[in-house]
Amino acid sequence: MEESIDGTRNFIIFFSYIGIGFNGSAYQKDNNNTVENKLIERLQQLDLISDSNCSFSRVSRTDKGVSARMNALTIRLKIKYPHLSISIIEKIYLKELNKKLKNIQIVHIQCVPNNFDARLNCIQRTYLYFFVNKNYNITRMDEAAKIFLGEHDFSNFCKKRKNTTSFIRTIHKFEIKRIDQNFYYFKIKGTSFLYNQIRHMVASLFLVGKGQLDEHDIKNMLENNSVKNKNYKIADECGLLLHSFKFSDLNFDVKVDNKIFLNAMNKYIQTTILLVSLCYPLKIKEPTDNFFENICDETEQIL
């Protein structure tokens, strides 16, 4: 492993969280109720960083109310126990960090090369969006979802920000999966996403499912930036989950404790999605602790 710089080394921290109750995941100077604010605060308490202004890089930022089965960030941490091996230090940091964190679980910590960057080295991100079928035409929605595949200008399917230099993004997979007769989820896989992009795409597919839009409308909105839909309303944040991601050059042996996460997700589903959606009962034919693992393709690395 590379030598430390000023007594610090570059670490990657994998963590999962239930987004309800947080004002998003990204660090904010004037708001201490975000996932990263809580994590940075805990790192300061443990004297692993000097102050809250330290730089770090994240795999993905999620909005208020959005959850993550797995997210990660790279950050330089102090080496508090220089006489111990780095593998032992990683285990100590993992145990210490998980104390006093509510609705956030630190899954794994690992020392990485100095040039490894969680955002820049991430080449693929997978999101899920859970929803209840309110008499939607699922077949039409699935067909329309395929229109998003490939490289497109998604300026009509995001919330525009001043610092966004390009609205070109690539979608590798966009499909609908059925859990039971009422409960479904979208699986969206891409290199990266614009602000609110997934929730805008999902909202348009709900309109397709209601018969208010069709495949031609989706194509037109992708190909013509001047086209707008007056009835366009962003999908609710509570159904969205950052599920997994993939790095270009490093593989990590990281496993989520599905019993812990599934219990949290069941509570999340019952108190948000199903409650908002007329309290349809969730009936999975063969319940399994590995439900969220099984969502991934067999060929993709699960992180």
Short mmCIF file of all heavy atoms in Angstrom, two decimals, residues 22-83:
data_model
loop_
_atom_site.label_atom_id
_atom_site.label_comp_id
_atom_site.label_asym_id
_atom_site.label_seq_id
_atom_site.Cartn_x
_atom_site.Cartn_y
_atom_site.Cartn_z
N PHE A 22 -33.80 12.14 6.26
CA PHE A 22 -32.61 12.89 5.88
C PHE A 22 -32.96 13.91 4.79
O PHE A 22 -33.83 13.66 3.95
CB PHE A 22 -31.51 11.97 5.34
CG PHE A 22 -30.88 11.09 6.38
CD1 PHE A 22 -31.06 9.72 6.35
CD2 PHE A 22 -30.10 11.64 7.39
CE1 PHE A 22 -30.48 8.90 7.30
CE2 PHE A 22 -29.51 10.83 8.35
CZ PHE A 22 -29.71 9.45 8.31
N ASN A 23 -32.26 15.02 4.79
CA ASN A 23 -32.44 16.04 3.74
C ASN A 23 -31.49 15.77 2.59
O ASN A 23 -30.74 16.65 2.16
CB ASN A 23 -32.21 17.44 4.31
CG ASN A 23 -33.24 17.82 5.34
OD1 ASN A 23 -34.41 17.45 5.22
ND2 ASN A 23 -32.84 18.56 6.37
N GLY A 24 -31.51 14.54 2.10
CA GLY A 24 -30.63 14.15 1.02
C GLY A 24 -29.35 13.54 1.56
O GLY A 24 -29.12 13.46 2.76
N SER A 25 -28.49 13.09 0.64
CA SER A 25 -27.24 12.45 1.05
C SER A 25 -26.06 13.41 1.05
O SER A 25 -25.13 13.25 1.84
CB SER A 25 -26.92 11.27 0.13
OG SER A 25 -26.61 11.73 -1.19
N ALA A 26 -26.07 14.41 0.18
CA ALA A 26 -24.89 15.26 -0.02
C ALA A 26 -24.65 16.22 1.14
O ALA A 26 -25.59 16.78 1.72
CB ALA A 26 -25.04 16.05 -1.32
N TYR A 27 -23.39 16.43 1.44
CA TYR A 27 -22.98 17.33 2.53
C TYR A 27 -23.42 18.76 2.24
O TYR A 27 -23.30 19.26 1.12
CB TYR A 27 -21.46 17.29 2.69
CG TYR A 27 -20.95 18.17 3.81
CD1 TYR A 27 -20.94 17.71 5.12
CD2 TYR A 27 -20.50 19.47 3.56
CE1 TYR A 27 -20.48 18.51 6.16
CE2 TYR A 27 -20.04 20.28 4.59
CZ TYR A 27 -20.04 19.79 5.88
OH TYR A 27 -19.59 20.60 6.90
N GLN A 28 -23.96 19.44 3.27
CA GLN A 28 -24.37 20.84 3.16
C GLN A 28 -23.84 21.60 4.37
O GLN A 28 -23.99 21.15 5.51
CB GLN A 28 -25.90 20.95 3.11
CG GLN A 28 -26.56 20.22 1.96
CD GLN A 28 -28.07 20.29 2.02
OE1 GLN A 28 -28.64 21.30 2.42
NE2 GLN A 28 -28.73 19.21 1.61
N LYS A 29 -23.23 22.74 4.13
CA LYS A 29 -22.64 23.52 5.22
C LYS A 29 -23.70 24.05 6.18
O LYS A 29 -23.44 24.18 7.38
CB LYS A 29 -21.83 24.68 4.65
CG LYS A 29 -20.53 24.25 3.98
CD LYS A 29 -19.71 25.45 3.56
CE LYS A 29 -18.39 25.02 2.93
NZ LYS A 29 -17.56 26.18 2.53
N ASP A 30 -24.88 24.37 5.66
CA ASP A 30 -25.91 24.98 6.50
C ASP A 30 -27.01 23.99 6.89
O ASP A 30 -28.10 24.39 7.30
CB ASP A 30 -26.53 26.18 5.78
CG ASP A 30 -27.12 25.79 4.42
OD1 ASP A 30 -26.84 24.67 3.95
OD2 ASP A 30 -27.84 26.61 3.83
N ASN A 31 -26.73 22.69 6.76
CA ASN A 31 -27.75 21.69 7.08
C ASN A 31 -27.04 20.43 7.58
O ASN A 31 -26.36 19.75 6.82
CB ASN A 31 -28.59 21.37 5.84
CG ASN A 31 -29.75 20.44 6.14
OD1 ASN A 31 -29.81 19.79 7.19
ND2 ASN A 31 -30.69 20.38 5.23
N ASN A 32 -27.20 20.13 8.86
CA ASN A 32 -26.49 18.97 9.41
C ASN A 32 -27.30 17.69 9.35
O ASN A 32 -26.90 16.67 9.90
CB ASN A 32 -26.07 19.24 10.86
CG ASN A 32 -27.27 19.38 11.79
OD1 ASN A 32 -28.42 19.41 11.34
ND2 ASN A 32 -27.01 19.46 13.09
N ASN A 33 -28.45 17.73 8.65
CA ASN A 33 -29.31 16.54 8.60
C ASN A 33 -29.25 15.86 7.24
O ASN A 33 -30.27 15.55 6.64
CB ASN A 33 -30.75 16.91 8.95
CG ASN A 33 -31.61 15.67 9.16
OD1 ASN A 33 -31.15 14.66 9.68
ND2 ASN A 33 -32.86 15.73 8.72
N THR A 34 -28.05 15.65 6.73
CA THR A 34 -27.87 14.84 5.53
C THR A 34 -27.03 13.62 5.90
O THR A 34 -26.37 13.60 6.95
CB THR A 34 -27.17 15.61 4.40
OG1 THR A 34 -25.77 15.73 4.70
CG2 THR A 34 -27.77 17.00 4.21
N VAL A 35 -27.04 12.63 5.04
CA VAL A 35 -26.28 11.40 5.31
C VAL A 35 -24.79 11.71 5.46
O VAL A 35 -24.14 11.27 6.41
CB VAL A 35 -26.51 10.37 4.19
CG1 VAL A 35 -25.62 9.14 4.41
CG2 VAL A 35 -27.97 9.96 4.12
N GLU A 36 -24.25 12.49 4.53
CA GLU A 36 -22.83 12.80 4.58
C GLU A 36 -22.49 13.71 5.76
O GLU A 36 -21.40 13.58 6.35
CB GLU A 36 -22.38 13.44 3.27
CG GLU A 36 -22.37 12.45 2.10
CD GLU A 36 -22.01 13.08 0.78
OE1 GLU A 36 -21.82 14.32 0.73
OE2 GLU A 36 -21.94 12.35 -0.22
N ASN A 37 -23.39 14.61 6.13
CA ASN A 37 -23.14 15.44 7.32
C ASN A 37 -22.99 14.57 8.56
O ASN A 37 -22.10 14.80 9.40
CB ASN A 37 -24.28 16.44 7.51
CG ASN A 37 -24.14 17.67 6.64
OD1 ASN A 37 -24.46 17.62 5.46
ND2 ASN A 37 -23.66 18.77 7.21
N LYS A 38 -23.87 13.57 8.69
CA LYS A 38 -23.80 12.68 9.85
C LYS A 38 -22.52 11.85 9.82
O LYS A 38 -21.90 11.61 10.87
CB LYS A 38 -25.02 11.76 9.88
CG LYS A 38 -26.35 12.47 10.03
CD LYS A 38 -26.42 13.24 11.34
CE LYS A 38 -27.79 13.89 11.52
NZ LYS A 38 -27.86 14.72 12.76
N LEU A 39 -22.13 11.43 8.64
CA LEU A 39 -20.91 10.63 8.51
C LEU A 39 -19.67 11.46 8.81
O LEU A 39 -18.77 11.03 9.55
CB LEU A 39 -20.83 10.04 7.10
CG LEU A 39 -19.62 9.15 6.78
CD1 LEU A 39 -19.47 8.03 7.79
CD2 LEU A 39 -19.73 8.59 5.37
N ILE A 40 -19.61 12.68 8.26
CA ILE A 40 -18.48 13.57 8.51
C ILE A 40 -18.41 13.93 10.00
O ILE A 40 -17.32 13.98 10.60
CB ILE A 40 -18.60 14.85 7.66
CG1 ILE A 40 -18.45 14.52 6.17
CG2 ILE A 40 -17.56 15.89 8.09
CD1 ILE A 40 -17.11 13.91 5.80
N GLU A 41 -19.56 14.16 10.60
CA GLU A 41 -19.61 14.47 12.03
C GLU A 41 -19.03 13.32 12.86
O GLU A 41 -18.27 13.55 13.81
CB GLU A 41 -21.06 14.73 12.45
CG GLU A 41 -21.24 15.05 13.92
CD GLU A 41 -22.70 15.25 14.30
OE1 GLU A 41 -23.54 15.36 13.39
OE2 GLU A 41 -22.99 15.29 15.52
N ARG A 42 -19.36 12.09 12.48
CA ARG A 42 -18.84 10.93 13.20
C ARG A 42 -17.33 10.79 12.99
O ARG A 42 -16.59 10.45 13.92
CB ARG A 42 -19.57 9.66 12.72
CG ARG A 42 -19.18 8.40 13.48
CD ARG A 42 -19.51 8.50 14.94
NE ARG A 42 -19.03 7.34 15.71
CZ ARG A 42 -18.61 7.40 16.95
NH1 ARG A 42 -18.60 8.56 17.60
NH2 ARG A 42 -18.21 6.31 17.58
N LEU A 43 -16.85 11.07 11.79
CA LEU A 43 -15.42 11.01 11.52
C LEU A 43 -14.66 12.05 12.35
O LEU A 43 -13.55 11.79 12.83
CB LEU A 43 -15.16 11.24 10.03
CG LEU A 43 -15.59 10.11 9.08
CD1 LEU A 43 -15.48 10.57 7.63
CD2 LEU A 43 -14.74 8.86 9.30
N GLN A 44 -15.27 13.22 12.53
CA GLN A 44 -14.66 14.25 13.37
C GLN A 44 -14.62 13.81 14.83
O GLN A 44 -13.62 14.03 15.52
CB GLN A 44 -15.44 15.56 13.24
CG GLN A 44 -15.15 16.35 11.98
CD GLN A 44 -15.84 17.70 11.99
OE1 GLN A 44 -17.03 17.80 11.71
NE2 GLN A 44 -15.09 18.73 12.32
N GLN A 45 -15.71 13.22 15.30
CA GLN A 45 -15.76 12.75 16.68
C GLN A 45 -14.65 11.74 16.97
O GLN A 45 -14.10 11.70 18.07
CB GLN A 45 -17.12 12.13 16.98
CG GLN A 45 -18.28 13.12 16.98
CD GLN A 45 -19.63 12.43 17.08
OE1 GLN A 45 -19.73 11.20 17.00
NE2 GLN A 45 -20.68 13.22 17.26
N LEU A 46 -14.33 10.93 15.97
CA LEU A 46 -13.30 9.91 16.12
C LEU A 46 -11.90 10.45 15.81
O LEU A 46 -10.92 9.70 15.86
CB LEU A 46 -13.60 8.72 15.20
CG LEU A 46 -14.88 7.94 15.53
CD1 LEU A 46 -15.19 6.94 14.42
CD2 LEU A 46 -14.75 7.24 16.87
N ASP A 47 -11.83 11.75 15.47
CA ASP A 47 -10.56 12.40 15.12
C ASP A 47 -9.88 11.72 13.94
O ASP A 47 -8.65 11.62 13.88
CB ASP A 47 -9.62 12.42 16.33
CG ASP A 47 -8.45 13.38 16.13
OD1 ASP A 47 -8.64 14.39 15.42
OD2 ASP A 47 -7.35 13.11 16.65
N LEU A 48 -10.69 11.28 12.98
CA LEU A 48 -10.14 10.68 11.76
C LEU A 48 -9.95 11.72 10.67
O LEU A 48 -9.25 11.48 9.68
CB LEU A 48 -11.05 9.55 11.27
CG LEU A 48 -11.16 8.34 12.20
CD1 LEU A 48 -12.08 7.29 11.59
CD2 LEU A 48 -9.79 7.75 12.48
N ILE A 49 -10.60 12.87 10.82
CA ILE A 49 -10.40 14.01 9.92
C ILE A 49 -10.21 15.25 10.79
O ILE A 49 -10.68 15.30 11.93
CB ILE A 49 -11.58 14.22 8.95
CG1 ILE A 49 -12.89 14.39 9.71
CG2 ILE A 49 -11.67 13.06 7.96
CD1 ILE A 49 -14.08 14.71 8.82
N SER A 50 -9.55 16.26 10.23
CA SER A 50 -9.25 17.47 11.02
C SER A 50 -10.45 18.38 11.15
O SER A 50 -10.71 18.94 12.21
CB SER A 50 -8.08 18.23 10.38
OG SER A 50 -6.92 17.43 10.38
N ASP A 51 -11.20 18.55 10.06
CA ASP A 51 -12.38 19.41 10.11
C ASP A 51 -13.37 18.99 9.04
O ASP A 51 -13.08 18.15 8.19
CB ASP A 51 -12.00 20.89 9.94
CG ASP A 51 -11.26 21.15 8.65
OD1 ASP A 51 -11.86 20.98 7.57
OD2 ASP A 51 -10.07 21.52 8.71
N SER A 52 -14.55 19.61 9.07
CA SER A 52 -15.62 19.24 8.16
C SER A 52 -15.40 19.74 6.73
O SER A 52 -16.15 19.37 5.82
CB SER A 52 -16.96 19.79 8.67
OG SER A 52 -16.91 21.20 8.77
N ASN A 53 -14.38 20.56 6.52
CA ASN A 53 -14.11 21.10 5.19
C ASN A 53 -13.19 20.20 4.36
O ASN A 53 -12.72 20.61 3.30
CB ASN A 53 -13.48 22.50 5.31
CG ASN A 53 -14.46 23.51 5.88
OD1 ASN A 53 -15.65 23.49 5.56
ND2 ASN A 53 -13.96 24.39 6.73
N CYS A 54 -12.93 19.01 4.86
CA CYS A 54 -12.07 18.09 4.11
C CYS A 54 -12.74 17.70 2.80
O CYS A 54 -13.96 17.68 2.68
CB CYS A 54 -11.78 16.85 4.95
SG CYS A 54 -13.25 15.89 5.33
N SER A 55 -11.94 17.39 1.80
CA SER A 55 -12.48 17.02 0.50
C SER A 55 -12.72 15.51 0.44
O SER A 55 -12.01 14.73 1.06
CB SER A 55 -11.52 17.44 -0.61
OG SER A 55 -10.28 16.78 -0.47
N PHE A 56 -13.75 15.13 -0.31
CA PHE A 56 -14.03 13.72 -0.53
C PHE A 56 -14.81 13.58 -1.83
O PHE A 56 -15.28 14.57 -2.40
CB PHE A 56 -14.82 13.11 0.64
CG PHE A 56 -16.13 13.79 0.93
CD1 PHE A 56 -17.30 13.39 0.30
CD2 PHE A 56 -16.19 14.83 1.85
CE1 PHE A 56 -18.51 14.02 0.57
CE2 PHE A 56 -17.40 15.48 2.13
CZ PHE A 56 -18.55 15.06 1.49
N SER A 57 -14.93 12.37 -2.31
CA SER A 57 -15.62 12.11 -3.58
C SER A 57 -16.61 10.98 -3.38
O SER A 57 -16.28 9.96 -2.77
CB SER A 57 -14.61 11.75 -4.66
OG SER A 57 -15.26 11.45 -5.88
N ARG A 58 -17.82 11.15 -3.90
CA ARG A 58 -18.89 10.16 -3.70
C ARG A 58 -19.24 9.45 -5.01
O ARG A 58 -19.08 10.02 -6.10
CB ARG A 58 -20.14 10.84 -3.15
CG ARG A 58 -20.78 11.80 -4.12
CD ARG A 58 -22.02 12.46 -3.56
NE ARG A 58 -21.72 13.44 -2.53
CZ ARG A 58 -21.47 14.73 -2.78
NH1 ARG A 58 -21.43 15.16 -4.03
NH2 ARG A 58 -21.23 15.57 -1.80
N VAL A 59 -19.77 8.25 -4.89
CA VAL A 59 -20.28 7.53 -6.05
C VAL A 59 -21.52 8.22 -6.60
O VAL A 59 -21.66 8.45 -7.80
CB VAL A 59 -20.61 6.06 -5.69
CG1 VAL A 59 -21.50 5.42 -6.77
CG2 VAL A 59 -19.34 5.25 -5.54
N SER A 60 -22.44 8.58 -5.70
CA SER A 60 -23.68 9.20 -6.15
C SER A 60 -24.28 10.03 -5.03
O SER A 60 -24.16 9.69 -3.85
CB SER A 60 -24.69 8.13 -6.58
OG SER A 60 -25.89 8.71 -7.05
N ARG A 61 -24.93 11.13 -5.39
CA ARG A 61 -25.70 11.90 -4.43
C ARG A 61 -27.17 11.57 -4.63
O ARG A 61 -27.64 11.41 -5.76
CB ARG A 61 -25.46 13.40 -4.59
CG ARG A 61 -25.90 14.00 -5.90
CD ARG A 61 -25.60 15.49 -5.95
NE ARG A 61 -26.35 16.22 -4.94
CZ ARG A 61 -26.03 17.45 -4.53
NH1 ARG A 61 -24.98 18.07 -5.04
NH2 ARG A 61 -26.76 18.06 -3.62
N THR A 62 -27.90 11.42 -3.54
CA THR A 62 -29.32 11.10 -3.63
C THR A 62 -30.15 12.20 -2.99
O THR A 62 -29.70 12.88 -2.06
CB THR A 62 -29.63 9.75 -2.94
OG1 THR A 62 -29.21 9.80 -1.57
CG2 THR A 62 -28.92 8.60 -3.65
N ASP A 63 -31.37 12.37 -3.48
CA ASP A 63 -32.24 13.43 -3.01
C ASP A 63 -32.84 13.11 -1.65
O ASP A 63 -32.74 11.98 -1.15
CB ASP A 63 -33.39 13.65 -4.01
CG ASP A 63 -32.90 14.08 -5.37
OD1 ASP A 63 -31.80 14.67 -5.44
OD2 ASP A 63 -33.62 13.83 -6.36
N LYS A 64 -33.50 14.09 -1.09
CA LYS A 64 -34.23 13.92 0.16
C LYS A 64 -35.23 12.77 0.03
O LYS A 64 -36.00 12.71 -0.93
CB LYS A 64 -34.97 15.22 0.50
CG LYS A 64 -35.80 15.15 1.77
CD LYS A 64 -36.49 16.48 2.03
CE LYS A 64 -37.35 16.42 3.29
NZ LYS A 64 -38.04 17.70 3.55
N GLY A 65 -35.19 11.84 0.97
CA GLY A 65 -36.13 10.73 0.97
C GLY A 65 -35.68 9.51 0.18
O GLY A 65 -36.29 8.45 0.28
N VAL A 66 -34.63 9.65 -0.63
CA VAL A 66 -34.14 8.53 -1.44
C VAL A 66 -33.18 7.68 -0.61
O VAL A 66 -32.35 8.21 0.14
CB VAL A 66 -33.42 9.05 -2.71
CG1 VAL A 66 -32.84 7.89 -3.51
CG2 VAL A 66 -34.40 9.85 -3.56
N SER A 67 -33.29 6.36 -0.73
CA SER A 67 -32.47 5.45 0.06
C SER A 67 -31.37 4.83 -0.80
O SER A 67 -31.36 4.95 -2.03
CB SER A 67 -33.33 4.34 0.66
OG SER A 67 -34.31 4.88 1.53
N ALA A 68 -30.44 4.16 -0.13
CA ALA A 68 -29.34 3.49 -0.84
C ALA A 68 -29.05 2.15 -0.20
O ALA A 68 -28.77 2.08 1.00
CB ALA A 68 -28.08 4.35 -0.84
N ARG A 69 -29.16 1.10 -0.98
CA ARG A 69 -28.68 -0.20 -0.53
C ARG A 69 -27.17 -0.14 -0.39
O ARG A 69 -26.59 -0.76 0.50
CB ARG A 69 -29.08 -1.28 -1.53
CG ARG A 69 -28.43 -2.64 -1.27
CD ARG A 69 -28.65 -3.58 -2.44
NE ARG A 69 -27.80 -4.75 -2.31
CZ ARG A 69 -26.54 -4.80 -2.72
NH1 ARG A 69 -25.97 -3.73 -3.27
NH2 ARG A 69 -25.83 -5.90 -2.58
N MET A 70 -26.53 0.64 -1.27
CA MET A 70 -25.09 0.82 -1.20
C MET A 70 -24.69 2.13 -1.87
O MET A 70 -25.14 2.42 -2.98
CB MET A 70 -24.37 -0.34 -1.89
CG MET A 70 -22.86 -0.29 -1.74
SD MET A 70 -22.32 -0.73 -0.09
CE MET A 70 -22.48 -2.51 -0.18
N ASN A 71 -23.90 2.91 -1.17
CA ASN A 71 -23.26 4.09 -1.72
C ASN A 71 -21.82 4.05 -1.22
O ASN A 71 -21.48 3.21 -0.39
CB ASN A 71 -23.97 5.37 -1.28
CG ASN A 71 -23.75 6.54 -2.22
OD1 ASN A 71 -22.80 6.56 -3.00
ND2 ASN A 71 -24.63 7.54 -2.14
N ALA A 72 -20.97 4.94 -1.70
CA ALA A 72 -19.58 4.92 -1.25
C ALA A 72 -18.94 6.28 -1.47
O ALA A 72 -19.38 7.05 -2.34
CB ALA A 72 -18.79 3.84 -2.00
N LEU A 73 -17.93 6.57 -0.68
CA LEU A 73 -17.13 7.77 -0.89
C LEU A 73 -15.68 7.48 -0.56
O LEU A 73 -15.37 6.59 0.24
CB LEU A 73 -17.67 8.95 -0.06
CG LEU A 73 -17.74 8.85 1.46
CD1 LEU A 73 -16.40 9.13 2.12
CD2 LEU A 73 -18.78 9.85 1.99
N THR A 74 -14.79 8.23 -1.20
CA THR A 74 -13.36 8.15 -0.88
C THR A 74 -12.97 9.41 -0.13
O THR A 74 -13.39 10.52 -0.47
CB THR A 74 -12.51 8.01 -2.16
OG1 THR A 74 -13.00 8.91 -3.18
CG2 THR A 74 -12.57 6.59 -2.69
N ILE A 75 -12.15 9.22 0.90
CA ILE A 75 -11.77 10.33 1.77
C ILE A 75 -10.45 9.98 2.46
O ILE A 75 -10.16 8.81 2.72
CB ILE A 75 -12.88 10.58 2.83
CG1 ILE A 75 -12.58 11.83 3.65
CG2 ILE A 75 -13.07 9.36 3.72
CD1 ILE A 75 -13.75 12.25 4.55
N ARG A 76 -9.64 10.99 2.73
CA ARG A 76 -8.38 10.77 3.42
C ARG A 76 -8.62 10.77 4.93
O ARG A 76 -9.20 11.72 5.47
CB ARG A 76 -7.35 11.83 3.04
CG ARG A 76 -7.02 11.86 1.55
CD ARG A 76 -5.65 12.46 1.30
NE ARG A 76 -4.59 11.62 1.83
CZ ARG A 76 -4.05 10.58 1.18
NH1 ARG A 76 -4.49 10.26 -0.03
NH2 ARG A 76 -3.08 9.86 1.73
N LEU A 77 -8.19 9.71 5.59
CA LEU A 77 -8.37 9.56 7.03
C LEU A 77 -7.02 9.46 7.73
O LEU A 77 -6.05 8.94 7.17
CB LEU A 77 -9.20 8.30 7.35
CG LEU A 77 -10.60 8.21 6.74
CD1 LEU A 77 -11.25 6.90 7.15
CD2 LEU A 77 -11.46 9.40 7.15
N LYS A 78 -7.00 9.94 8.96
CA LYS A 78 -5.79 9.82 9.77
C LYS A 78 -5.54 8.36 10.14
O LYS A 78 -6.49 7.58 10.29
CB LYS A 78 -5.93 10.64 11.06
CG LYS A 78 -6.09 12.14 10.86
CD LYS A 78 -6.27 12.83 12.20
CE LYS A 78 -6.51 14.32 12.05
NZ LYS A 78 -6.72 14.98 13.37
N ILE A 79 -4.29 8.02 10.30
CA ILE A 79 -3.92 6.68 10.78
C ILE A 79 -3.67 6.79 12.28
O ILE A 79 -2.62 7.24 12.73
CB ILE A 79 -2.67 6.15 10.05
CG1 ILE A 79 -2.93 6.10 8.54
CG2 ILE A 79 -2.30 4.77 10.58
CD1 ILE A 79 -4.08 5.19 8.14
N LYS A 80 -4.68 6.38 13.06
CA LYS A 80 -4.61 6.52 14.52
C LYS A 80 -3.76 5.44 15.18
O LYS A 80 -3.28 5.62 16.29
CB LYS A 80 -6.02 6.49 15.11
CG LYS A 80 -6.88 7.69 14.75
CD LYS A 80 -8.28 7.57 15.31
CE LYS A 80 -8.30 7.49 16.82
NZ LYS A 80 -9.69 7.44 17.36
N TYR A 81 -3.60 4.33 14.49
CA TYR A 81 -2.87 3.20 15.08
C TYR A 81 -1.75 2.77 14.13
O TYR A 81 -1.83 1.71 13.49
CB TYR A 81 -3.82 2.04 15.35
CG TYR A 81 -5.10 2.44 16.06
CD1 TYR A 81 -6.28 2.66 15.35
CD2 TYR A 81 -5.11 2.62 17.44
CE1 TYR A 81 -7.45 3.03 16.00
CE2 TYR A 81 -6.28 3.00 18.10
CZ TYR A 81 -7.44 3.21 17.38
OH TYR A 81 -8.59 3.58 18.02
N PRO A 82 -0.69 3.57 14.00
CA PRO A 82 0.37 3.28 13.02
C PRO A 82 1.12 1.97 13.29
O PRO A 82 1.77 1.44 12.38
CB PRO A 82 1.30 4.49 13.16
CG PRO A 82 1.02 5.04 14.52
CD PRO A 82 -0.43 4.79 14.77
N HIS A 83 1.03 1.46 14.51
CA HIS A 83 1.73 0.22 14.84
C HIS A 83 0.96 -1.02 14.39
O HIS A 83 1.50 -2.13 14.42
CB HIS A 83 1.97 0.15 16.35
CG HIS A 83 0.71 0.19 17.17
ND1 HIS A 83 -0.04 1.34 17.31
CD2 HIS A 83 0.07 -0.79 17.87
CE1 HIS A 83 -1.08 1.08 18.08
NE2 HIS A 83 -1.05 -0.20 18.42
#
